[in-house]
Amino acid sequence: MQPESQVTDGTESPESTQDAQNIESTQRTESLFDFIDGTHEDRLTAIHQEMAYINTIGKSFVAAIDRFHVHRALLKALQNLYSFSACCILLKGDPFELSIIPCHPISASFLQDMLQRICNAANVIDFPHVTVEQLMKVAYFDAPDEVAQYRTQEAIASTEIGSSLNIPLTVDNRIIGMLSLFDELIGTFDTKLLAMTGMIADYAAVALDNASLRERENALWRQAELERRRLELTLRSMTESLLIINELGAIVSLNQSAQQLFLQEKIDLKLDIPFREQSMLQTVSWLPSLLDIIDRALAGQTITNQEIVIGQRGEIVPLTLSVNASPLHDLSSAHLRPTGVVVVLNDVTSSKQVERLKDEFVSVVSHELRTPLTAIKGYTQHLVRRIERRLRKARENQQLHTQQLNELPESYDLRSLNIVQSQTDHLERLVSELLDLSHVQDGQLTLHYSTFYLADLLAECVRSVQMSAEQHTIYLDIQVQDTHVRADHARICQVVGSILDNAVKYSPHGGQITVALLQKEDNYLIQVIDQGIGVNIEHYDHIFERFYRVRNAASRQYAGIGLGLYVAKAIVESHGGEIGFFNNSRGIGTTFYFTLPEAQHITS
Ligand code: ADP
């Protein structure tokens, strides 16, 4: 469909005022088609000439690689038809654009008039409403020197528009913009040439549409390239070693850090050859562990902070890597299997070293604290006994009743000593937790096995905790006939004690606590169910970590250093059992549980 074109002149009768140059230009273009009315041969020649002309124009538009080349091709094609002052291209878009392509210098008032006419014409065709101010903001000049046409001084000096032509630019019946031609002279745009002008506009529209697509594509490429460079720089400057593995388990890319690590460990790995094949040829002891991590990630698992000890360096701790591996999924594909894996290896040797020093410090300090603590405990006990004896005698000799007895200075001393004793007990518990921590860390948690009844042990623990938990009622629920077990009595007592203590501590409003003994396959299952504050989901994975305490009102109120559950876990696991917890249904409290193998023979 040929879009409607508008030809307007500056005067009432345009034909009457065409100047010499305009006539010359029109003659040049008319010469191509004037033969149409002549003989058959003349007409054939004219058709050939017209086709050659269209072909040349078409080629120049096809060859245009960007909008500026399109402007030149357009200008050349139009200048073959008319001689004019300026050509403007208004393109839709967000924001829209206006290119002003003058053929010779134009005056400010000419420009202003052009903008006003473009606005008027744009508002007539299917174009979003535009104002002169908006056009001023988006307009840019593209004045190609080589095609600029200089005119007589008289024409250049003209400040008024004599004639103009507006043609919608369409691609597939979609209006993408508008082409406007302007001249100082009246009647420049010969209506006989409208069809040809429309065809040139069509070529230009397609070429501009393609150029804008190409521009957008180039911008995307540039953006992608920028991102790629940024990523490359980030990877290069990373202190962590990074490996990118493909679905066949071959390294496809590795950063500098990883290269250095492999070099220093004398590992010779080639890109694009499956890791498994290559690792068989290497004698490095830790490569199978890395391979295992990669295999698991390729199977879809995400591995976080898995440590690999890669060798002795004569330091306090061996060189240790913490490995994270994440499967890569192709989001555009329906395949669930990962298309690769990203592996990050982080050297954690120095933090291990700091941890080791800290552990040693804790171990030494707790050992050193034990001796004075034993002395304080012993002497306090001795003093308590002496005062108690004296008070007994005073009561017997002087026949004092309780009120009078409480007012004696010895009674005051006894109360103070009782406080010293309870605080010493607390300190002793902390010191023994710290000592246990050192033992667990060094793998020296020795167990002294004996055979006993689990029901008796639980009853003993319940009794002892109940004595200092006035707000709570602790029930014992034994659902097993034979509770015979072979284990370390003191250590299991410690586990139950820690869990029960916590059940009391973390249910500050009191309530019921149930200690249940059940059978679970070949294991005993011990559960401690409380009605306390529960554990928020974000702490689930950390509760059994050393020194981990949830920060809440209850933990601020009650003393603790976050070691009870850590040590309990180590004890249960060294008995071959499991420990865990879950929040009770309806959000009331927590159930901590652990399992112990039945009275099977366990060697100590
Ligand atoms: P702590 O000395 O802090 O009690 P633990 O290792 O025994 O150390 O417990 C670790 C953390 O687990 C506690 O600080 C507490 O926040 C949480 N916790 C343990 N038992 C319970 C429980 N029964 N209810 C709620 N939170 C608990």
Side-chain angles (χ1 to χ4, degrees):
M1 190 186 78
Q2 183 61 42
E4 244 177 65
S5 312
Q6 285 184 326
V7 183
T8 48
D9 286 339
T11 63
E12 300 298 310
S13 54
E15 292 84 354
S16 58
T17 52
Q18 283 186 338
D19 71 359
Q21 273 183 322
N22 197 20
I23 292 162
E24 183 201 308
S25 154
T26 314
Q27 275 170 352
R28 175 153 42 88
T29 48
E30 275 172 354
S31 63
L32 281 172
F33 315 109
D34 279 351
F35 298 109
I36 301 281
D37 296 331
T39 62
H40 179 65
E41 249 126 77
D42 291 342
R43 287 160 79 132
L44 273 182
T45 315
I47 289 170
H48 277 136
Q49 280 178 335
E50 185 175 347
M51 280 175 67
Y53 173 67
I54 292 170
N55 195 19
T56 317
I57 295 173
K59 275 186 186 160
S60 64
F61 278 118
V62 169
I65 51 166
D66 59 26
R67 68 170 82 179
F68 303 105
H69 282 89
V70 178
H71 293 171
R72 272 149 202 63
L74 177 67
L75 210 59
K76 236 180 195 162
L78 290 172
Q79 281 173 337
N80 269 318
L81 300 185
Y82 319 101
S83 171
F84 54 93
S85 303
C87 146
C88 296
I89 299 165
L90 178 64
L91 283 182
K92 275 186 179 178
D94 186 19
F96 52 85
E97 284 172 16
L98 177 68
S99 331
I100 301 173
I101 312 158
C103 301
H104 61 82
I106 49 172
S107 67
S109 61
F110 191 91
L111 174 68
Q112 185 71 22
D113 199 9
M114 271 194 332
L115 295 179
Q116 187 57 60
R117 284 175 187 237
I118 291 171
C119 274
N120 298 344
N123 292 335
V124 173
I125 65 164
D126 174 25
F127 202 90
H129 181 77
V130 280
T131 61
V132 172
E133 290 70 36
Q134 283 171 320
L135 284 186
M136 297 270 261
K137 277 193 202 137
V138 295
Y140 67 92
F141 275 84
D142 177 19
D145 291 344
E146 71 276 15
V147 290
Q149 219 180 44
Y150 293 98
R151 294 185 158 199
T152 60
Q153 196 54 39
E154 187 193 346
I156 294 166
S158 173
T159 55
E160 297 209 346
I161 294 176
S163 50
S164 66
L165 173 63
N166 297 301
I167 301 177
L169 292 170
T170 60
V171 176
D172 295 335
N173 286 339
R174 170 172 56 92
I175 296 183
I176 65 154
M178 185 177 75
L179 168 70
S180 305
L181 304 178
F182 299 97
D183 197 34
E184 295 108 355
L185 304 175
I186 295 168
T188 301
F189 305 108
D190 191 337
T191 43
K192 278 194 245 157
L193 295 173
L194 272 186
M196 183 60 80
T197 317
M199 188 202 71
I200 293 171
D202 283 348
Y203 273 129
V206 173
L208 282 169
D209 206 36
N210 286 343
S212 109
L213 274 177
R214 219 170 294 134
E215 269 170 31
R216 254 177 286 156
E217 198 180 47
N218 287 345
L220 284 176
W221 271 110
R222 273 197 301 277
Q223 182 67 24
E225 180 60 16
L226 202 73
E227 291 296 330
R228 195 190 64 76
R229 291 226 189 115
R230 212 177 280 158
L231 190 68
E232 198 177 277
L233 208 69
T234 313
L235 296 186
R236 209 179 303 152
S237 55
M238 263 171 78
T239 49
E240 291 89 356
S241 305
L242 181 121
L243 306 174
I244 297 176
I245 315 274
N246 68 11
E247 60 198 318
L248 303 172
I251 300 177
V252 284
S253 172
L254 73 171
N255 69 353
Q256 268 178 346
S257 251
Q259 285 172 10
Q260 270 165 12
L261 174 72
F262 286 166
L263 198 72
Q264 150 200 321
E265 292 300 311
K266 302 193 175 49
I267 300 168
D268 182 22
L269 286 178
K270 307 252 174 324
L271 293 186
D272 300 319
I273 300 178
F275 201 126
R276 182 172 289 283
E277 278 174 32
Q278 301 193 68
S279 70
M280 285 175 193
L281 307 172
Q282 314 277 335
T283 50
V284 181
S285 60
W286 56 273
L287 273 192
S289 310
L290 183 57
L291 194 61
D292 175 59
I293 292 175
I294 292 172
D295 283 348
R296 279 192 285 145
L298 275 175
Q301 213 180 319
T302 300
I303 288 109
T304 42
N305 297 331
Q306 183 156 331
E307 284 181 7
I308 298 183
V309 176
I310 74 168
Q312 207 71 40
R313 278 254 193 89
E315 305 269 351
I316 313 173
V317 283
L319 189 62
T320 310
L321 294 179
S322 166
V323 187
N324 289 290
S326 309
L328 288 171
H329 290 280
D330 182 358
L331 296 178
S332 60
S333 131
H335 282 295
L336 290 178
R337 215 184 131 68
T339 52
V341 171
V342 177
V343 184
V344 179
L345 304 117
N346 193 9
D347 185 347
V348 289
T349 318
S350 43
S351 56
K352 288 263 144 201
Q353 219 149 302
V354 173
E355 255 175 53
R356 172 68 71 89
L357 289 173
K358 202 171 71 189
D359 292 344
E360 277 175 9
F361 172 76
V362 167
S363 165
V364 170
V365 169
S366 37
H367 262 109
E368 290 304 314
L369 282 175
R370 225 160 54 155
T371 322
L373 253 180
T374 317
I376 295 170
K377 243 188 123 170
Y379 283 113
T380 322
Q381 228 160 29
H382 172 70
L383 285 174
V384 166
R385 274 199 215 111
R386 265 179 56 178
I387 295 173
E388 277 174 349
R389 240 191 338 264
R390 254 191 258 156
L391 281 171
R392 224 177 8 252
K393 271 193 192 145
R395 193 174 51 205
E396 284 162 11
N397 296 344
Q398 300 165 33
Q399 296 290 308
L400 297 173
H401 53 76
T402 318
Q403 176 66 23
Q404 290 165 317
L405 210 61
N406 280 347
E407 281 162 12
L408 290 178
E410 281 84 352
S411 290
Y412 177 79
D413 290 348
L414 185 63
R415 282 197 293 277
S416 305
L417 281 173
N418 280 338
I419 294 173
V420 173
Q421 256 186 333
S422 95
Q423 292 302 313
T424 318
D425 285 345
H426 179 57
L427 203 59
E428 199 182 27
R429 265 203 309 279
L430 289 184
V431 170
S432 80
E433 274 186 356
L434 288 173
L435 276 171
D436 284 344
L437 166 76
S438 316
H439 292 144
V440 173
Q441 303 277 107
D442 300 343
Q444 287 174 358
L445 193 78
T446 42
L447 300 178
H448 303 286
Y449 283 93
S450 63
T451 308
F452 56 91
Y453 290 101
L454 204 45
D456 291 347
L457 178 143
L458 294 177
E460 196 184 308
C461 293
V462 167
R463 213 176 304 123
S464 132
V465 175
Q466 180 68 84
M467 275 187 350
S468 54
E470 288 145 19
Q471 278 186 293
H472 299 78
T473 315
I474 310 176
Y475 292 100
L476 184 59
D477 177 15
I478 307 288
Q479 297 187 15
V480 182
Q481 288 285 316
D482 178 15
T483 68
H484 192 232
V485 73
R486 185 171 162 75
D488 184 324
H489 187 278
R491 289 296 187 187
I492 298 301
C493 230
Q494 183 180 348
V495 173
V496 179
S498 290
I499 296 179
L500 252 180
D501 275 346
N502 282 346
V504 172
K505 273 200 296 192
Y506 301 112
S507 42
H509 302 299
Q512 182 179 313
I513 295 171
T514 306
V515 178
L517 176 60
L518 310 135
Q519 185 84 38
K520 190 189 167 206
E521 289 151 16
D522 287 343
N523 294 309
Y524 290 119
L525 173 66
I526 298 100
Q527 289 186 330
V528 177
I529 308 151
D530 65 47
Q531 297 179 327
I533 56 172
V535 178
N536 269 345
I537 192 150
E538 72 258 34
H539 305 293
Y540 268 37
D541 292 341
H542 307 289
I543 282 289
F544 290 98
E545 285 171 10
R546 61 188 188 147
F547 299 118
Y548 194 85
R549 300 201 78 204
V550 177
R551 286 182 201 284
N552 53 32
S555 62
R556 274 192 290 277
Q557 190 180 345
Y558 296 102
I561 49 173
L563 278 182
L565 291 179
Y566 174 76
V567 175
K569 185 173 189 304
I571 296 173
V572 170
E573 286 178 353
S574 45
H575 276 86
E578 276 174 26
I579 190 165
F581 77 98
F582 51 86
N583 277 337
N584 300 331
S585 55
R586 285 184 285 126
I588 306 167
T590 320
T591 297
F592 274 83
Y593 63 85
F594 68 94
T595 60
L596 270 185
E598 269 185 86
Q600 65 201 53
H601 183 73
I602 306 165
T603 47
S604 52

